[in-house]
């Protein structure tokens, strides 16, 4: 029996969600199809990937090891199917600014692809906070930026949002709230809360808390996403963070669950920014075209169907 992408996708969905029934809903297929695919995969590998229990599916050591390989397989397939083909031979230097979250959780993969498709474009990356990025764009020290577009404030800076990353509740495995069918910010307010501060995350969070007329019970403020991840997984509190930075496991190997909140929680928007009067160089245009093809063109194609 040969390995299939179907088996890999069903395995990853089950590993991330932790329940076959919910994975089946997410994949829009039957539970039996997921169960069969996982059993086939375990047969091919000759080892159990999950421990089954009444609470759901938890990865074995072999399962955690294979999950990392599965991510690499799916990412490689995605690259092969969706890599945009450049229509011009761009060259030059692009001075790019990016915020902490963008550099840490989004940009590296795309920089690698850009280097492959545009080998004559040199991208100089500068990690900065939002206000420094805006100032650098206005003063011409940066050509473009990849930022959280909702945080931008200056009228002379143009932005394009590439995608929105939903913010969800993070909580440790087997937390009582996992049993609830609906979670509101009022429910979250009763729990100790781990508040991320980097990239103006605290200001963004307080806006949706205030709109819901609720107040978080903040236990810790931290600029480290990994600290939030570990504290949540260890049961020190809950958090609300975007899908972009979510991983199903902490550094200690403990599972982190996510739940959608019923109140309006604004997503995290990631996109491009530049000075309104900036004349596009070939390197800037190639950079913009790459992200248009990778994120906006598929959406426009689906809208036309």
């Amino acid at each position: 029996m040969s390995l299939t992408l179907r088996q890999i996708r069903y395995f990853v969905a089950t590993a991330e969600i932790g329940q076959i029934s919910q994975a089946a809903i997410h994949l829009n297929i039957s539970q039996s199809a997921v169960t069969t695919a996982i059993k086939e995969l375990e047969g091919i590998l000759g080892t159990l990937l999950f421990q089954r229990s009444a609470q759901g599916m938890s990865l074995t050591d072999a399962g955690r090891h294979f999950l990392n390989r599965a991510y690499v397989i799916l990412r490689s397939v995605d690259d092969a199917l969706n890599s945009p083909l450049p229509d011009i031979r761009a060259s030059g230097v692009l001075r790019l600014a990016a915020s902490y979250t963008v550099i840490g959780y989004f940009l590296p993969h795309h920089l690698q692809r850009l280097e492959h498709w545009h080998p004559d474009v040199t991208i100089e990356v500068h990690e900065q906070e939002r206000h420094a990025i805006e100032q650098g764009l206005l003063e011409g020290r940066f050509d473009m930026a990849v930022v959280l577009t909702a945080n931008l404030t200056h009228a002379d800076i143009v932005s394009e949002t590439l995608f929105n990353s939903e913010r969800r509740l993070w909580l440790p495995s087997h937390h009582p709230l996992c049993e609830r069918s609906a979670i509101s910010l009022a429910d979250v307010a009763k729990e100790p809360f781990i508040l991320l501060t980097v990239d103006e995350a605290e200001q963004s969070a307080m806006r949706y808390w205030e709109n819901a007329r609720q107040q978080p019970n903040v236990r810790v403020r931290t600029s480290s996403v990994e600290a939030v991840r570990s504290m949540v997984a260890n049961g020190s509190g809950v958090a609300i963070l975007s899908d972009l930075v979510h991983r199903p496991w902490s550094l200690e190997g403990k599972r982190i669950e996510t739940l959608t909140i019923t109140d309006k929680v604004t997503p995290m928007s990631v996109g491009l920014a530049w000075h309104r009067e900036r004349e596009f160089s070939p390197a800037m245009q190639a950079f913009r075209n790459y992200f248009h093809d990778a994120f906006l063109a598929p959406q426009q194609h689906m809208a036309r169907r």
Side-chain angles (χ1 to χ4, degrees):
M1 186 183 297
S2 59
L3 189 71
T4 67
L5 286 176
R6 173 183 60 83
Q7 293 163 346
I8 297 292
R9 291 193 176 100
Y10 293 6
F11 162 74
V12 168
T14 304
E16 291 183 341
I17 296 173
Q19 292 184 336
I20 286 181
S21 59
Q22 293 301 310
I25 292 172
H26 173 75
L27 295 164
N28 196 28
I29 57 172
S30 67
Q31 292 187 42
S32 61
V34 178
T35 300
T36 300
I38 291 173
K39 287 182 178 178
E40 290 172 350
L41 189 55
E42 289 178 327
I44 293 170
L45 298 174
T47 186
L48 287 178
L49 299 174
F50 292 100
Q51 292 288 351
R52 281 81 166 167
S53 70
Q55 287 73 38
M57 305 280 281
S58 59
L59 287 170
T60 62
D61 289 341
R64 281 191 289 273
H65 179 80
F66 186 72
L67 179 61
N68 291 327
R69 301 297 182 271
Y71 282 139
V72 172
I73 292 170
L74 293 181
R75 189 160 55 242
S76 297
V77 172
D78 178 66
D79 284 350
L81 294 176
N82 298 309
S83 293
L85 300 175
D87 54 2
I88 58 172
R89 183 75 173 185
S91 62
V93 176
L94 176 68
R95 298 168 299 169
L96 181 71
S99 63
Y100 166 86
T101 303
V102 168
I103 285 184
Y105 297 92
F106 173 70
L107 200 53
H109 169 63
H110 296 288
L111 290 176
Q112 181 186 35
R113 295 175 72 182
L114 280 158
E115 183 178 1
H116 174 73
W117 292 113
H118 296 287
D120 296 328
V121 174
T122 300
I123 301 177
E124 299 176 351
V125 182
H126 304 267
E127 181 181 326
Q128 300 284 336
E129 296 183 358
R130 188 266 312 161
H131 65 86
I133 290 175
E134 288 188 292
Q135 196 63 33
L137 291 173
L138 294 171
E139 294 173 358
R141 290 184 286 108
F142 304 135
D143 301 311
M144 299 185 77
V146 185
V147 293
L148 308 185
T149 53
N151 293 347
L152 295 171
T153 61
H154 202 286
D156 287 334
I157 293 182
V158 178
S159 67
E160 293 178 337
T161 296
L162 298 173
F163 67 93
N164 294 310
S165 179
E166 294 298 324
R167 289 184 169 104
R168 305 182 202 275
L169 178 66
W170 291 18
L171 64 173
S173 182
H174 308 309
H175 190 283
L177 287 180
C178 292
E179 306 299 323
R180 300 279 296 274
S181 59
I183 305 294
S184 68
L185 285 175
D187 297 320
V188 180
K190 300 172 185 176
E191 302 291 328
F193 196 77
I194 313 299
L195 183 61
L196 186 69
T197 60
V198 72
D199 277 354
E200 300 172 291
E202 181 171 1
Q203 293 90 322
S204 299
M206 294 315 300
R207 283 195 288 270
Y208 60 73
W209 278 102
E210 290 167 2
N211 288 339
R213 298 182 180 179
Q214 297 293 330
Q215 186 75 20
N217 176 22
V218 178
R219 179 171 183 175
V220 177
R221 285 178 168 83
T222 176
S223 62
S224 169
V225 176
E226 295 309 318
V228 175
R229 199 187 315 279
S230 290
M231 282 187 272
V232 169
N234 289 330
S236 298
V238 300
I240 298 175
L241 289 179
S242 77
D243 289 344
L244 178 65
V245 301
H246 176 258
R247 304 292 182 271
W249 305 97
S250 71
L251 294 175
E252 301 86 356
K254 296 182 179 180
R255 185 169 181 82
I256 298 169
E257 307 289 351
T258 61
L259 295 173
T260 300
I261 298 172
T262 56
D263 295 287
K264 182 175 176 56
V265 175
T266 53
M268 186 173 74
S269 302
V270 178
L272 309 179
W274 62 91
H275 191 294
R276 184 180 302 278
E277 298 179 359
R278 181 75 176 178
E279 183 177 347
F280 269 59
S281 67
M284 291 174 65
Q285 192 61 56
F287 188 83
R288 186 186 184 192
N289 287 348
Y290 164 83
F291 281 106
H292 273 215
D293 290 341
F295 288 93
L296 302 183
Q299 297 174 18
Q300 294 165 0
H301 173 71
M302 290 300 294
R304 291 195 295 268
R305 290 181 62 181

